[in-house]
């Protein structure tokens, strides 16, 4: 019996060694092709194999194993990979490049949810999502995801939104259709009506998608950024056609670890209050007592109970600063729910 036990123990040890060797081979392959923009996105697809494999190992456990493998692979280039709401040359992509540099490895995602997923699973080191625009207001889905996610806000970027008319056409008179995101078309409607009357306006998913469409025809044009013009090789026929004053979008940088304090910080929190008279006023009182400046308050309906709300607040300072620490402690004692979303450097206009 002792000899048999020794044999299976040796076999287990051999299998474990093989597993480690294979993980190292996988890591080497990942590092060798880390410049491929889609490599991080493909890591998660390995879990699809589990659905079509037979064996005694529990499926749920196998999924957890592959999830941890994905996180481990992501850590090899954690500080270099950035998920963003794509495709390339959208303003979210621009925000990622402005903050992380044009050499950063960026991973386009089809939705805000996917950006959060990429960072949560360790497939990328950071994520970039839009949070608010001076013309269109808050991005509510980003707020909802912040409430549910374990990720922290580690920074922010502000990008001026300048819309240009891009086209392969030789002149405005040759253009028959204009593509862009609905918001971009709305912001440029006056200029388009004056200079391209009667031209068909076609809505697409993003300004970058519009540039791709315009590139395929000499009779089409796109309302998009100068980054899209550069990325897709399109001349700019008309500059700054939105004519709407300051059009700025703020983007959040997401990470799994909090940012260290800097000289000019901002803290974001979310909390809910009891359903009683003066409840919100009472929740805000600690900030007044400790002379803390609130820069934004936004409410969102609670998904747990009708007519209850969560309040998202931005305030000046770092969460570890004594006045803020005291105010948050007082708030936590009296509110129903409190979540710290992150402390991070305040953005300068990019």
């Amino acid at each position: 019996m002792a000899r048999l036990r020794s044999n299976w123990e040796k076999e287990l040890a051999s299998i474990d060694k093989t597993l480690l060797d294979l993980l190292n081979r996988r890591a080497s392959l990942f590092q060798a092709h880390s410049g491929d923009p889609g490599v991080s996105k493909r890591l998660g697809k390995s879990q699809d194999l589990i659905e079509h494999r037979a064996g005694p190992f529990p499926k749920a456990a196998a999924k957890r194993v592959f999830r941890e493998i994905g996180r481990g692979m992501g850590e090899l280039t954690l500080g270099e990979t950035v998920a963003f709401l794509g495709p390339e040359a959208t303003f979210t992509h621009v925000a990622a490049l402005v903050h992380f540099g044009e050499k950063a490895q960026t991973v386009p995602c089809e939705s805000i949810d996917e950006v959060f997923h990429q960072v949560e699973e360790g497939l990328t080191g950071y994520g970039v999502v839009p949070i608010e625009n001076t013309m269109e207001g808050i991005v509510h889905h980003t707020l909802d995801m912040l409430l549910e996610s374990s990720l922290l806000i580690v920074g922010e970027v502000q990008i001026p939104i300048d819309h240009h008319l891009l086209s392969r056409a030789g002149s405005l008179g040759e253009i028959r259709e204009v593509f862009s995101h609905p918001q971009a078309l709305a912001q440029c409607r006056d200029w388009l009506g004056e200079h391209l009357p009667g031209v068909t306006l076609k809505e697409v998913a993003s300004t970058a998608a519009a540039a791709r469409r315009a590139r395929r025809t000499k009779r089409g044009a796109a309302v998009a950024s100068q980054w899209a013009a550069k990325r897709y090789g399109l001349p700019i026929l008309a500059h700054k056609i939105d004519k709407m004053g300051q059009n700025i979008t703020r983007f959040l940088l997401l990470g799994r670890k909090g940012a260290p304090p800097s000289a000019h910080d901002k803290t974001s929190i979310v909390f809910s209050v009891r359903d009683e008279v003066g409840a919100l006023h009472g929740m805000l009182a600690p900030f007044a007592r400790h002379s803390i400046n609130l820069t934004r308050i936004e409410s969102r309906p609670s998904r747990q109970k009708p007519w209850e709300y969560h309040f998202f607040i931005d305030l000046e300072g770092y969460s570890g600063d004594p006045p803020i620490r005291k105010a948050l402690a007082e708030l936590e004692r009296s509110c129903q729910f409190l979540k710290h979303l992150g402390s991070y450097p305040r953005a300068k206009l990019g």
Side-chain angles (χ1 to χ4, degrees), residues 115-188:
V115 174
F116 275 81
H117 173 77
Q118 287 281 316
V119 186
E120 287 171 341
E121 296 301 315
L123 303 178
T124 61
Y126 299 97
V128 180
V129 292
I131 183 62
E132 64 177 331
N133 174 265
T134 53
M135 301 292 179
E136 305 296 334
I138 205 74
V139 181
H140 292 118
H141 190 54
T142 296
L143 290 183
D144 293 339
M145 290 300 296
L146 286 169
L147 183 63
E148 300 171 4
S149 175
S150 61
L151 298 181
L152 293 169
I153 304 170
V154 298
E156 63 177 4
V157 179
Q158 294 186 35
I159 299 294
I161 307 300
D162 291 331
H163 295 304
H164 310 290
L165 188 74
L166 321 181
S167 180
R168 294 171 56 206
S171 66
L172 295 180
E174 298 177 18
I175 296 173
R176 295 292 177 267
E177 52 188 1
V178 176
F179 309 99
S180 199
H181 186 275
Q183 288 184 2
L185 290 175
Q187 292 169 4
C188 301

Side-chain angles (χ1 to χ4, degrees), residues 262-275:
S262 70
H264 303 282
D265 288 310
K266 177 189 289 187
T267 293
S268 296
I269 62 171
V270 57
F271 65 88
S272 61
V273 301
R274 297 183 177 87
D275 185 14

